[in-house]
Amino acid sequence: MPDNLKSVPVLSSEITPKHLYMNRRDFLKAAGILTGSAVLAACVPQVSSTQSAGPSASGKTDELGDPVNSYEDITNYNNYYEFSTNKEAVAPLSKDFKTHPWTVEVGGLVSKPKIYAIEDLMSMFPQEERIYRLRCVEAWSMVIPWSGFSLASLLKAVEPLSKAKYVRFETLFDPKQMQGEGSPFYPWPYQEGLRLDEAMNDLAILATGLYGEALPAQDGAPIRLVVPWKYGFKSIKAIVKIELTDTKPSTLWSTVAPNEYGFYANVNPNVDHPRWSQASERRIGELARRPTLMFNGYSDQVAHLYDGMDLALNY
Ligand code: MTE
């Protein structure tokens, strides 16, 4: 890491949320593990997540058969630096975040730029449920039942010009509501970007709901991107602007620490983060680590987008 970045707070490494830690302690105590009997981590049975305090999605799994995480985990273990760098503080700090009225400006290199009210987006583009894995760069993951609509359907509606090659996304800048935006360490507003062909892939969605209900503020209400084959930091929250460009957009994390967070950010177990391995991950609510899958398990749908590219250079 360059010297001038040494004091810059970057994505913290994995921290276990307190309620899961307590579960684990209870489990270990019950299993006699805290009293001294040694076990191999791989032999320890998995604990299920805490009982959900919110709506139930009982029995739902992703296409690999893994159960969705509890509503409580999904809504109380959040990365959202505009509110806090502490994952468990985001939910209480964002509880009064104003998500109405809300507009999303879609423009740049398009024939039909438009400012959409959030209600119009939700009625124009049919909402569907997509159960996706979210793999955070910090090597934890969750399975989340989103509802939303395909990003491609919105991009097609504004008619990209042939010069358009990238899509840039921007989060609301409102330091009165989002106290973290007062931090001088980050180039606010949060920005992200995709290549246009990535953005047009059917897996990429704009999510407006979770567990069949409106998206909670801490998860990016009223509208956030979900790009399931990329590390979670690409999935930008509280979007107010989408711009088509001919040059690669700068992104918050690749500006703060370019050697750690690339533009592509495809989930790749073979390319380590400079400070930790990306070969495995901890599914929130489980004890044993599981191997990380190439493109987070979505290779069939997206590997072709990167044919001929060196993914170690284009991390
Ligand atoms: N979007 C904004 N605007 N600000 C953020 O700090 N964090 C990212 C991403 N989107 C972030 C953001 C990171 S690092 C992750 S892992 C995911 O949101 C987490 O989404 P979740 O809290 O809904 O699980």
Side-chain angles (χ1 to χ4, degrees), residues 11 74 77-82 134-138 140 142 144 146 171 188 190 218-220 224 231-238 253:
L11 278 170
I74 297 170
Y77 191 68
N78 300 103
N79 270 332
Y80 204 164
Y81 278 40
E82 285 86 340
L134 181 138
R135 167 56 158 88
C136 184
V137 72
E138 299 162 326
W140 52 266
M142 294 202 210
I144 302 179
W146 301 109
T171 294
W188 308 108
Y190 199 102
Q218 60 268 38
D219 289 282
R224 59 94 57 84
Y231 291 118
F233 67 86
K234 297 296 282 185
S235 291
I236 179 173
K237 299 176 173 181
W253 285 108

Side-chain angles (χ1 to χ4, degrees), residues 77-109:
Y77 191 68
N78 300 103
N79 270 332
Y80 204 164
Y81 278 40
E82 285 86 340
F83 289 102
S84 176
T85 55
N86 171 354
K87 298 182 206 327
E88 290 176 304
V90 174
L93 286 171
S94 62
K95 71 178 179 1
D96 297 323
F97 182 59
K98 221 166 142 254
T99 55
H100 280 97
W102 192 277
T103 56
V104 181
E105 181 182 348
V106 191
L109 299 173

Side-chain angles (χ1 to χ4, degrees), residues 37 52 60 82 95 122 153 188 230 261:
S37 41
S52 167
K60 283 191 175 167
E82 285 86 340
K95 71 178 179 1
M122 293 181 70
S153 58
W188 308 108
K230 292 179 181 283
Y261 308 106

Side-chain angles (χ1 to χ4, degrees), residues 46-307:
Q46 295 172 354
V47 271
S48 67
S49 202
T50 45
Q51 280 291 307
S52 167
S56 154
S58 56
K60 283 191 175 167
T61 63
D62 67 7
E63 80 288 0
L64 301 179
D66 289 325
V68 298
N69 278 88
S70 72
Y71 187 80
E72 185 179 335
D73 285 346
I74 297 170
T75 58
N76 287 286
Y77 191 68
N78 300 103
N79 270 332
Y80 204 164
Y81 278 40
E82 285 86 340
F83 289 102
S84 176
T85 55
N86 171 354
K87 298 182 206 327
E88 290 176 304
V90 174
L93 286 171
S94 62
K95 71 178 179 1
D96 297 323
F97 182 59
K98 221 166 142 254
T99 55
H100 280 97
W102 192 277
T103 56
V104 181
E105 181 182 348
V106 191
L109 299 173
V110 299
S111 316
K112 296 187 168 164
K114 187 167 169 167
I115 298 175
Y116 292 89
I118 186 73
E119 298 77 16
D120 295 341
L121 282 175
M122 293 181 70
S123 59
M124 284 174 70
F125 303 104
Q127 309 287 303
E128 49 174 300
E129 185 175 74
R130 301 275 188 103
I131 299 180
Y132 282 155
R133 295 171 288 287
L134 181 138
R135 167 56 158 88
C136 184
V137 72
E138 299 162 326
W140 52 266
S141 62
M142 294 202 210
V143 179
I144 302 179
W146 301 109
S147 35
F149 58 93
S150 84
L151 172 61
S153 58
L154 173 59
L155 295 177
K156 282 179 198 153
V158 294
E159 298 181 2
L161 301 176
S162 57
K163 287 180 288 190
K165 298 284 177 273
Y166 295 92
V167 188
R168 180 182 159 272
F169 303 84
E170 197 178 297
T171 294
L172 178 71
F173 182 69
D174 185 356
K176 283 202 181 103
Q177 288 204 80
M178 298 164 127
Q179 59 178 30
E181 288 184 332
S183 163
F185 290 118
Y186 301 100
W188 308 108
Y190 199 102
Q191 291 184 62
E192 259 306 336
L194 296 172
R195 236 172 40 197
L196 183 56
D197 59 338
E198 297 179 311
M200 295 299 267
N201 187 277
D202 180 57
L203 285 181
I205 60 165
L206 289 167
T208 54
L210 184 64
Y211 261 73
E213 301 204 337
L215 198 60
Q218 60 268 38
D219 289 282
I223 186 163
R224 59 94 57 84
L225 181 67
V226 181
V227 204
W229 71 97
K230 292 179 181 283
Y231 291 118
F233 67 86
K234 297 296 282 185
S235 291
I236 179 173
K237 299 176 173 181
I239 298 168
V240 289
K241 193 167 180 185
I242 300 177
E243 187 185 9
L244 283 86
T245 64
D246 53 2
T247 50
K248 195 188 274 183
S250 47
T251 72
L252 182 139
W253 285 108
S254 61
T255 305
V256 170
N259 57 329
E260 303 199 359
Y261 308 106
F263 176 80
Y264 282 96
N266 291 317
V267 174
N268 188 341
N270 309 314
V271 176
D272 288 340
H273 184 280
R275 292 183 284 134
W276 59 82
S277 163
Q278 294 291 22
S280 69
E281 68 204 53
R282 187 174 60 82
R283 180 69 43 86
I284 299 300
E286 294 180 358
L287 275 184
R289 294 184 76 83
R290 50 170 71 215
T292 286
L293 304 174
M294 188 66 203
F295 296 115
N296 204 19
Y298 299 101
S299 292
D300 288 353
Q301 293 98 314
V302 299
H304 67 275
L305 296 171
Y306 310 102
D307 280 348

